[in-house]
């Protein structure tokens, strides 16, 4: 079957807690460059996964902004955690859009290499890192759809979203993407 805008149909938007509801092969973590944990979704993922995850992260030597690294998942009910380092929002003139796209692309690449067909994402950079969600959402959706088109092993991307504004922004971005806008 030829699919023209295929990957967008493998994207789902959900509300809730990625650490308990993900139902995925891999969870993407909105990490920082140290990969040693922090607040937000990173803190929640490390709390739920337990010390085994932190121990594995300590062996990785950190991660550059725009890149991602993959580990096991400790006690989380998934196979892998993909630690993606999004950019801190500095007003938009510091390469933030490219860096945000890059960490979503790298996450799909790593998921594909690890044979993951369902990947759960948070809204990377949209919390503590301050990226305006209405600007981040179209980048997240467009990049993930494109990367899934190149890596067909990944069949579904599930965005787990906190809060009405975040959910609405992603809904609008997904609608625009499907309409080809
Ligand atoms: N499930 C789904 N989404 C969540 C959850 C959860 N359990 N918890 C928070 N969010 P953030 P960032 C949402 O701040 O902006 C950490 O300290 C949240 O509402 O987790 O990339 C890291 O170590 C927001 O929409 O990540 C870094 O230092 C989104 O997830 C820094 O924060 C991302 O918010 C990374 O900041």
């Amino acid at each position: 079957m030829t699919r023209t805008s295929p990957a967008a149909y493998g994207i789902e938007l959900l509300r809730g807690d990625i650490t308990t509801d993900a139902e995925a092969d891999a969870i993407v973590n909105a990490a920082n460059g140290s990969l040693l944990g922090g607040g937000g979704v990173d803190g929640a993922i490390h709390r739920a996964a337990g010390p085994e995850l932190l121990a594995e992260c300590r062996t990785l030597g950190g991660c550059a902004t725009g890149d991602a690294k993959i580990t096991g998942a400790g006690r989380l009910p998934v196979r892998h955690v993909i630690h993606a380092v999004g950019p801190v929002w500095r007003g938009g003139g510091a390469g933030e859009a490219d860096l945000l796209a890059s960490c979503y692309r790298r996450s799909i690449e790593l998921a594909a290499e690890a044979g993951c067909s369902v990947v759960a994402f948070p809204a990377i950079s949209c919390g503590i890192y301050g990226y305006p969600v209405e600007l981040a959402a179209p980048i997240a959706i467009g990049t993930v759809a494109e990367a899934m088109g190149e890596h067909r092993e990944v069949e579904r991307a599930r965005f787990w979203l906190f809060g009405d504004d975040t959910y609405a922004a992603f809904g609008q971005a997904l609608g625009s993407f499907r309409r080809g806008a």
Side-chain angles (χ1 to χ4, degrees), residues 2-83:
T2 323
R3 302 183 296 175
T4 45
S5 173
Y9 297 100
I11 293 179
E12 298 172 358
L13 308 183
L14 298 135
R15 310 178 79 127
D17 184 341
I18 199 167
T19 62
T20 51
D21 306 328
E23 288 178 22
D25 299 303
I27 288 178
V28 177
N29 181 17
N32 61 63
S34 78
L35 299 185
L36 299 180
V41 74
D42 194 6
I45 285 173
H46 274 277
R47 271 194 302 281
E52 203 184 308
L53 182 65
L54 183 59
E56 192 177 350
C57 285
R58 284 193 202 285
T59 69
L60 298 177
C63 182
T65 302
D67 200 357
K69 292 193 178 175
I70 189 165
T71 62
R75 294 196 297 253
L76 284 165
V78 296
R79 284 175 21 227
H80 294 287
V81 175
I82 297 171
H83 307 265

Side-chain angles (χ1 to χ4, degrees), residues 62-162:
C63 182
T65 302
D67 200 357
K69 292 193 178 175
I70 189 165
T71 62
R75 294 196 297 253
L76 284 165
V78 296
R79 284 175 21 227
H80 294 287
V81 175
I82 297 171
H83 307 265
V85 183
V88 175
W89 178 255
R90 298 185 198 285
E96 292 96 326
D98 288 346
L99 290 165
L100 187 65
S102 172
C103 72
Y104 277 108
R105 198 176 308 114
R106 283 292 295 139
S107 297
I108 295 289
E109 285 169 9
L110 290 170
E113 281 168 22
C116 298
S117 56
V118 182
V119 183
F121 285 94
I124 299 170
S125 285
C126 293
I128 292 165
Y129 279 1
Y131 208 120
V133 68
E134 65 280 6
L135 301 181
I139 294 170
I141 299 284
T143 307
V144 166
E146 190 181 297
M148 285 170 69
E150 289 164 14
H151 299 277
R152 296 296 174 102
E153 306 90 322
V154 181
E155 294 171 356
R156 205 167 301 166
R158 298 193 154 140
F159 284 92
W160 285 96
L161 303 165
F162 259 21

